[in-house]
Amino acid sequence: MAGAGSDSSRAAGRAGPDDARGAAARNDDALSLGPSQGDPLTLPTRRVTSGAVNQRPEIGYKRVGTSQKESTPPTGEKRKRKPCGVCEPCQQKTNCGECTYCKNRKNSHQICKKRKCEVLKKRPVATSQVQKSNRCFWAKRRLHRGVVPRNETSSPTAEPALSSLNLPAFDIANI
DNA sequence: CCAACCGGTGCC
DNA sequence: GGCACCGGTTGG
Ligand SMILES: [Zn+2]
Ligand SMILES: [Zn+2]
């Protein structure tokens, strides 16, 4: 679009929403998440975020009180959210080491897909281009990846219960 | 300084 | 149409 036909812009060739935030359906990672798995991998470096954080589960965006100059609006609007720290991905203390981010972690500014907090994956804000119809999503994904986490061949009802996508059980305890 | 979030872009 | 990666930026 704006980039003008410069396909070279993103040499990666690929493109799209990295986190999943865009596609509420990108939970495919979470789908595969089963019981706790003991990954031999160990985080090479220190983690900046760990444990529970005080943020508004409603919006998720942490509020930065007091005026912080221009970088952070005094209004305390959305800036950067932090992982809930209770969801499975958040509990993953080890990187899968197989996802593209893990392989490119050196150059990738993204966290391991397996470790991506489900909360952050969900609606970041009421404004987005993607995240709307999860209908064709599954159909499209089949074409793109050619693989579906589930075995369901065709069944719109078989889709993951997004309705039950509610957080683990800390949302109510928060606030 | 590093790690990670978030927005935007391009390809399928 | 929607997803996947890059890249800038924030946050600690
Ligand atoms: Zn990974
Ligand atoms: Zn989480």
Side-chain angles (χ1 to χ4, degrees):
Chain A
M1 289 143 176
S6 292
D7 49 294
S8 304
S9 298
R10 256 79 204 221
R14 289 226 79 70
D18 53 359
D19 353 76
R21 164 192 2 80
R26 221 218 107 280
N27 302 309
D28 55 291
D29 307 325
L31 296 166
S32 301
L33 280 170
S36 47
Q37 81 310 352
D39 280 332
L41 269 144
T42 37
L43 292 176
T45 48
R46 66 176 181 275
R47 282 162 305 297
V48 63
T49 46
S50 291
V53 288
N54 51 336
Q55 62 180 347
R56 296 288 119 131
E58 300 183 88
I59 316 175
Y61 282 114
K62 185 180 74 172
R63 214 189 197 160
V64 198
T66 69
S67 40
Q68 294 251 303
K69 290 210 156 145
E70 63 274 17
S71 292
T72 41
T75 53
E77 292 305 282
K78 62 261 250 143
R79 244 317 92 169
K80 214 170 182 173
R81 291 188 304 176
K82 290 198 282 260
C84 65
V86 302
C87 70
E88 280 232 32
C90 277
Q91 290 182 45
Q92 300 320 320
K93 182 86 160 101
T94 56
N95 301 323
C96 73
E98 286 202 12
C99 73
T100 127
Y101 296 145
C102 279
K103 300 214 170 179
N104 275 8
R105 200 157 56 78
K106 188 176 79 76
N107 278 280
S108 215
H109 309 159
Q110 262 293 11
I111 185 174
C112 172
K113 290 172 182 176
K114 252 43 174 198
R115 284 185 46 212
K116 181 77 180 178
C117 177
E118 292 199 43
V119 179
L120 293 176
K121 283 198 226 172
K122 303 218 296 143
R123 355 179 326 189
V125 54
T127 45
S128 266
Q129 29 177 306
V130 288
Q131 175 193 37
K132 232 75 190 190
S133 52
N134 327 12
R135 231 67 181 168
C136 302
F137 154 57
W138 289 94
K140 281 248 193 176
R141 185 142 80 103
R142 224 165 294 174
L143 283 153
H144 273 270
R145 293 196 60 175
V147 168
V148 181
R150 296 294 248 229
N151 266 355
E152 282 77 323
T153 4
S154 52
S155 271
T157 42
E159 294 169 15
L162 289 166
S163 313
S164 318
L165 222 155
N166 57 52
L167 315 181
F170 64 100
D171 48 334
I172 46 176
N174 243 301
I175 309 174

